[in-house]
Amino acid sequence: MDTGTHVVMGLGLGGLAMLDPAVSADPITAHAVLLGTLVGSQAPDFDTILKLRNNAVYIRNHRGITHSVPALFIWPALVSLIIYMFVPSANGLHLWLWTSLAVFLHVFVDIFNAYGTQALYPFSKKWVALGVISIFDPFIFFIHIAGLLFWYVGFDPGNAFAAVYIIMAGYYLLRIWNRYRIAQIVRRNIPETIEVIASPTLKWSQYHLAIKTKHQFFVANIKQGRLKVLDTFDRVEVPETDVIHAAKKDKNISAFLSFSPVYRWEVEKNNHGHEVRFIDLRYRSKGHYPFVALVQLDEDLEIITSYTGWVYSEDRLRKKMDFTPSKLLKNE
């Protein structure tokens, strides 16, 4: 989920914690727990700082180990211990328990969007992305805002957020059912479907889809239960050639391939050598596929330059690749 949603969920869990007698009976513990749930709800996303290094490091690691099984124990221990050092009179056990719930809920809700996490690591490196909820879901966000407003005007926060989370559980079940129904619609229209990768939108009845069959990729959307195929690509295996092997050694290409579950590839001979491009099919926007990875190799298959990330025009992509004589001479 987005940062704003994780913030309101952290506050909401702090309100829910008032149902715990050990918390509600002690104002010091209540404040410590509220801080714990707020920080704990953000902690798995502290890896966002990796974006300061480069896109390759960020793409390969974001929502990776910080959202893994070990992280479910490490984050609560670190966060609650640091808070307890400053508030030693708080109930340490209940501070840790509620912080643990905040971390767990962060990781749990993140698996329901299209990006997913490596939530099963180290047992599996597979990205778990169920494609049920949008990165920002207005219903989830505003039902938390409603709970916070009830708290502000004097309602018991424990009861208010108990109601919020009961409603939210029902909402998730409804969206899971809707995701299942979407997959059934796809399979009725494309019987040879092997896998449906869904990206929910802000509109409940609209999804962006990348569909795998044995021989083709389909890019489509569903609106009001109607499937519309937008693009079709032959499913061609990436060849085992020297050019491809050289390209896969590049950090940007390898990061892209570690993250993307459905993509097509292109190899083009140009004046500088060979350009290899991988295009993720999940994020079609106005006829363009913005999430890509490119590498330019010279005639000796040495890397000249490369890039991975979201770019919404070919002109901007060329600027990021920086094909200038000085750049080429620098790499010779």
Side-chain angles (χ1 to χ4, degrees):
M1 306 298 290
D2 68 297
T3 300
T5 300
H6 284 307
V7 168
V8 295
M9 290 183 78
L11 294 172
L13 287 173
L16 184 69
M18 298 304 289
L19 292 176
D20 181 350
V23 176
S24 59
D26 180 9
I28 293 176
T29 297
H31 284 90
V33 166
L34 178 60
L35 181 59
T37 57
L38 184 58
V39 177
S41 70
Q42 299 298 315
D45 279 348
F46 286 168
D47 60 4
T48 302
I49 196 172
L50 295 173
K51 202 164 189 177
L52 296 176
R53 290 187 60 186
N54 56 61
N55 281 353
V57 173
Y58 176 73
I59 289 169
R60 182 180 287 277
N61 294 284
H62 181 50
R63 295 186 174 181
I65 195 169
T66 59
H67 289 63
S68 65
V69 173
L72 295 177
F73 300 94
I74 295 171
W75 285 125
L78 285 175
V79 172
S80 58
L81 179 61
I82 291 171
I83 294 173
Y84 190 72
M85 288 172 61
F86 289 94
V87 194
S89 58
N91 186 313
L93 174 61
H94 287 258
L95 170 61
W96 173 77
L97 287 172
W98 284 100
T99 303
S100 296
L101 179 60
V103 172
F104 171 79
L105 192 61
H106 177 123
V107 175
F108 180 71
V109 298
D110 272 1
I111 71 174
F112 285 91
N113 60 50
Y115 291 90
T117 73
Q118 287 183 306
L120 300 179
Y121 184 86
F123 305 106
S124 171
K125 292 185 178 180
K126 182 180 178 181
W127 287 84
V128 183
L130 302 181
V132 171
I133 301 289
S134 176
I135 290 292
F136 173 74
D137 188 292
F139 181 83
I140 294 173
F141 181 80
F142 285 109
I143 196 174
H144 279 84
I145 295 297
L148 292 172
L149 289 174
F150 277 114
W151 186 359
Y152 178 77
V153 299
F155 282 81
D156 179 77
N159 291 330
F161 278 99
V164 165
Y165 287 113
I166 289 171
I167 293 170
M168 201 169 84
Y171 176 68
Y172 266 77
L173 291 174
L174 178 64
R175 295 304 301 267
I176 289 169
W177 166 251
N178 195 47
R179 172 65 177 83
Y180 170 79
R181 188 177 63 85
I182 294 299
Q184 296 302 106
I185 292 172
V186 171
R187 288 185 165 87
R188 282 200 301 268
N189 286 271
I190 308 174
E192 62 273 25
T193 295
I194 295 173
E195 183 179 2
V196 179
I197 300 170
S199 297
T201 69
L202 294 178
K203 298 179 180 179
W204 293 1
S205 62
Q206 184 172 333
Y207 288 74
H208 300 305
L209 305 173
I211 303 161
K212 292 182 181 180
T213 70
K214 185 176 181 180
H215 300 293
Q216 290 178 307
F217 294 126
F218 295 89
V219 178
N221 62 32
I222 281 187
K223 296 180 181 180
Q224 303 295 333
R226 296 182 179 181
L227 179 69
K228 181 180 180 181
V229 175
L230 304 172
D231 286 320
T232 304
F233 303 100
D234 290 334
R235 187 174 180 177
V236 181
E237 293 295 324
V238 180
E240 296 291 329
T241 65
D242 291 340
V243 171
I244 293 295
H245 281 302
K248 286 183 176 181
K249 293 178 182 178
D250 176 72
K251 64 181 181 181
N252 285 302
I253 298 295
S254 62
F256 175 95
L257 294 177
S258 73
F259 175 72
S260 176
V262 54
Y263 54 84
R264 63 186 184 89
W265 58 272
E266 297 174 353
V267 177
E268 180 182 338
K269 185 73 171 65
N270 58 31
N271 293 333
H272 307 295
H274 306 270
E275 179 186 275
V276 181
R277 180 183 304 211
F278 291 89
I279 304 125
D280 194 298
L281 300 181
R282 292 175 294 174
Y283 309 117
R284 188 181 189 274
S285 175
K286 298 179 181 178
H288 182 70
Y289 294 89
F291 183 43
V292 298
L294 271 77
V295 61
Q296 177 66 46
L297 306 171
D298 64 18
E299 294 291 355
D300 296 320
L301 303 185
E302 296 295 327
I303 297 167
I304 298 174
T305 188
S306 66
Y307 174 80
T308 188
W310 283 261
V311 183
Y312 289 85
S313 74
E314 188 68 18
D315 288 341
R316 291 188 63 188
L317 182 58
R318 288 303 166 193
K319 289 179 181 178
K320 290 182 178 295
M321 290 294 284
D322 191 16
F323 285 130
T324 63
S326 61
K327 178 82 172 181
L328 296 175
L329 288 172
K330 185 179 179 180
N331 287 276
E332 285 182 354

